Structures are given as C-alpha cells and as structure tokens.
Amino acid sequence: MSMDLSDFTIVKEGEAEILMHAKNEVFYNKSQVNNRDISIAVLRTFIAKQKEEREAKLSKRRKAVTKVPEKDASEHVPEEAPNGSAGNGGVSNGDCEMQEKAHDEEDEACAVSEEVVKATEGKGPVVVKAPKVLEALSASGLRALRYAREVEGIGQVVALDNDKVSVEACRRNIKFNGSVACKKVESHLADARVYMLTHPNEFDVVDLDPYGSPSVFLDSAVQSVVDGGLLMCTATDMAVLCGGNGEVCYSKYGSYPLRGKYCHEMALRILLASIESHANRYKRYIVPVLSVQMNFYIRVFVRVYSSASAMKNTPLKLSYVYQCTGCDSFHLQPIGRTMSKSNNNLRYLPGYGPVVPQECSDCGKKFNMGGPIWSAPIHDQEWVASILTGVKSMKDRYPAYDRISAILTTISEELPDVPLFLSLHNLCATLKCTSPSAVMFRSAVINAGYRISGTHVNPLGLKSDAPMDVIWDIMRCWVKNHPVKAQPPEQPGSVILSKEPVLQANFARAVASLSKAQAKKIARFLPNPERHWGPKLRAGRQITSKHISLLGADVVNNLLNQEDGEQHDTKNNLNHEDGEQHDAKNNLLNQEDGDQHDAKSNLLNHEDGEQHDAKRQKTEEKVDENHEPAS
C-alpha cells in the first residue's frame, strides 16, 4: 500500500487492525470493545441457530413434498359455496384469525416447496446461503472487519457511512487487513436510512451503533432485516432514556421514563417497546434474545419476525409503570389482555385498570406514571446459556472476555419474567434504618414463598415476584428487631412503619439465597479496566482542557502540547516574517529619515546662512553708525 504509515497509529483489536490518523478525524471508541465482543458472541450463536432452523425447516418440507399423493387437479379445487358462503361470511373473528394463519403457513410452505423440489431433483443437498450483515454506521470499519475475520460462516458484510472521510478510512482499513477483508467487506458512502429502505428483507443481520440515539434508524432497520433475522441496536443517549429529559424521550421513543433506581433497565425496555412499535407498522414483531446495559450505553439483540396474527399479542407485552413519589413502591399496568372463547380462540381486550388507587396504599403519596415499556422477558435464557458456553470455549478470542463473561453469568441468573427491580439500600433509606445483608433479605423473601434474584444492571438491585406489601412487611419485621429513631409522622417511612406487619418474616438463611455464581465466588461486577473509561469525543471535535474527565490528563496534555508546538513553529515563522518586515521597514525609515535629515539640514543651513548674513549686515551697519564723524 502506498501510504505514509508514520501519520497513523495501528490499533489492533481481536484479529482486526485499523489505521487511526493522528488527528481525531474518524470516531473510534476503545471502551466499546465490550460491545463488539458481545456482538460477535451473539452473532456466532445466531449463525449456528439459524443454520439449524433452516435445515430443520427444509427437512420438514422435503418430507411434506414427498408425502403429497398424486391427485387429480379437480380434487384440489374447492367447490364454490352458494351465496358466497365460501368466503368470510358468517365466520367469527377468531375463525378468521385461524384461517388467516393457516393460509399464511400454506403460502409459506408452497413458496419454499418449489425450492425443495428443485434442490432434490438430483442436485444434491440444499446449500444454505451465508448470512449477510449490514453495519449501518461503520466509521473506521473496525466492527465490520472483526465480523468478517472472526465469525465463521459469515457472508458479505456491508459497511455504510455518510461521512466521506470515514468511508475513505474504512476502505483503507479493508485493504490493510488483507484478502479476507477485501473479499467479504465492502464500504459505501450512503445514508443508512435510505440504503435500508431501498434494500428491504435483504440482510440477515442489521447492526445499529450510532453516536447517540438510534430512533431515526429503527423504522428502516426493521424493514431491511429478513424474516427471522437479527437486529442489534445500541443507544448511548442515557440521559434521555433514564429520565433526565422525559419529554425528549417521549418524542424519540414514544415512552416517558421515570427516574427510579431501575432507570437503566427501564431504558432497555423503552428501547424494546420502540423497536416493537416500528416493527408492528409492517406486520412484524420482535423476540428479544439478549438485552444488556453496560458502562454508558444499552445494547439489545432482537429477532424480527413477520406475522399479522402474532403481531396482535403486542399489547400483552407492554405496560405502564406507576412509581410512588414517597417510597419505592412501583406497579405495572398491562395495556391489553386476552379472553378465551368457547371455540378455543382468543379475544383481545383492553387491560383492566387502574391497578393502583389515587394515593399509595403504603405511604399515602401520589404516583408518577411512565411508559409504556416492554414488560415481557428481555432475555432468552436458552440463548444466554449458548452464548456463555461459546464465549467460555473461545475465551482467547475475546479481548474483553472477563467483562462479557461476568455480564452473561449475571444475566443467566436473572428472573426472566420480572420487570424492573428494587434497591435494598433505597428501601432502608426510606425507613431510615440500617440495611440487612442481601443474603438475609433474599432468605426472607424465599421463606415467604416467593422468588428473588439479582440483576446485571445494578449490584444492589433485586428482582422479585413478591408484591410490595410483602416487601414492606419484611422490612417492618426487620425494623422491629433493629429500631430506628422517631421521624416526623408525615414522612413516608413513618407512615409505613406505623402499620403492623401481616406477614411475619423469617430471616433464617435459605438454601437458594446465594446464586451459583455467588456461591462459587465468580466475579460478576468488574471495575473499569483503566481510568477515564467511557465515551470519547465525536469525530472532528477539538480537544481542550475540559475533556480531561473523558480522555485523561496525560492524553489531553500531550495533544495540547503537540498543538502548542505546531502553533509555536507557526509563531516563529510569523516572527521571522515580522523580522524581515521590520528590517525592511527600518531600512525604508532610515532612508526616508536620511533624506528628510539632509533636506532639513540644507533648509536649516540655508536659513541659518540667511539669518547669519542678515545679522552680519546689521552688525556692520551699527558699527558704521558708531564710527561716523561728528558734524
């Protein structure tokens, strides 16, 4: 390659290497190595599962084709019922749904049966096409290069960016990574939204990782992915998603956030609800396989399916959240519900409400309402187990193995059907009491007959299916054994403790009070690998001293010193030019001063001469008068 490598820094991550210019021209974020590693792990699992699903489906359809008896064409033509009764007339809504679903399955079977017949006509086994991946916002192209070089069985990887400098950097990095990258990865200068809209149902995997909110890309992304494909989406606008600007979140995602301790998990569920909303507009729906909150962003992995009948279940997966303003009590209000009919069909109805009174039954305060959020499971535990197994079997190929294995281990132990979580320390802060140990509190919940687990979002978070009145009864029993100082009667904690507990808590240690990872002392929450670990500057931003908290003092000082050196050289050149101009100016001034001095001297001499002559003449006249003879 004909380029001067001295202008670039080689960055190696996994099996890919990229060239980064000394200036901040193209965005590269070192802390996103966790994101890229876990994406590769999920992509490997998806390719394996997709292959199994396709082979099973093709095998099933081969059998269906071979078992079709040869019948006369007349037997396949249904007789037309009188008065058009063969249509939808006189058929109930549920029967229509069943017929619609059956027709969808028949059409799908017919569409692929031709493929099976062609493949089985002496041409050997069916060759499944390699998955095609779209990285919609590629920047330097590092993610696309890692996909191409590290994920086996992957096909073409299309890297897009609407910045000309980024596309040039991506193409340069593709060439720098050799023949495998050149064969599999292609880079285009294009608007990702337009490109995805003009390539519908084309990509098996669509990856969205913008610098900020992905909301503007979701509508086109859910159309670009194939049926059963994988959509991977990152959101880094956590201040918006976590309740800092609720009105902005509603405008972008169609949901209002609440500033509870569970705000990061609520951010995950808001993003899932938004993706589902965009998918529903095209008779599609999503199935989350993994949803992760890491560092300063959230990352979701969902599969997108097409089905008009299954799409009707969406209201059952969404809920509003009522959060008490006085205590930590929260309640979920489902948007929809179903009712079984006599013919085993389902009828979709609006949810019952309200689930809470006007004032909190625990402390008497008002409720804030947020949502709607995704209240169905956000992980597929079978997928999580497969991903974790794959990561452990290839630990040397993941630069961030320790971090992603810890996160996946914690996720594997979460209760999948419990939305949001409680914070034990917040409960104690409300009551102004000392905190019981997590093992004691978990034991009390388990001994009361309920389930409880941790959460990957917060080390102090606890997920439980126990209702809030049971939680507060456990805390009342704890305070009885560990008294607190008297508080003003209007305080939420005072109102809660004024009631006698209905449930008598048992704090004896339960067997399941520690998870398997905790029992084995497996690290689940690791510290940051280095100082100033977090999002870096957007490409093209000028680095100043205010960025020390992001980049670190050493990095900022080196860059500023480098800029100061360049400015110093420029200033020296300017000083040199100023010196030349000064010399020229001095010469000109000296010459002009000399000319003026000569002219002035001549003028003065001339005037002095004239004055001298006049004075001499006057003196002579006076002398003559003094020596004049007397008359």
Side-chain angles (χ1 to χ4, degrees), residues 547-617:
H547 298 119
I548 290 178
S549 61
L550 295 178
L551 305 176
D554 296 336
V555 176
V556 172
N557 291 335
N558 290 337
L559 292 172
L560 292 179
N561 292 336
Q562 183 179 357
E563 294 178 358
D564 291 341
E566 295 176 354
Q567 294 177 357
H568 182 68
D569 295 338
T570 305
K571 190 174 181 180
N572 288 338
N573 294 333
L574 293 175
N575 291 335
H576 180 65
E577 295 176 359
D578 291 341
E580 293 178 351
Q581 293 176 358
H582 181 70
D583 294 339
K585 187 175 181 180
N586 287 338
N587 294 334
L588 180 61
L589 291 176
N590 292 335
Q591 183 179 358
E592 292 177 353
D593 291 342
D595 295 340
Q596 292 176 359
H597 179 72
D598 294 340
K600 187 175 181 180
S601 298
N602 294 334
L603 179 61
L604 291 175
N605 293 333
H606 179 68
E607 292 176 353
D608 291 342
E610 292 179 350
Q611 291 176 0
H612 179 72
D613 293 340
K615 187 175 181 182
R616 182 179 179 183
Q617 183 179 0

Side-chain angles (χ1 to χ4, degrees), residues 59 64 113 121 165 177 180-181 216 218 245 398 490 520 524 545 557-558 574 608:
S59 176
S113 62
E121 289 178 351
V165 176
N177 279 267
V180 175
V216 296
L218 296 179
N245 303 94
Y398 292 100
E490 68 276 5
K520 296 179 181 179
R524 297 172 299 121
S545 58
N557 291 335
N558 290 337
L574 293 175
D608 291 342

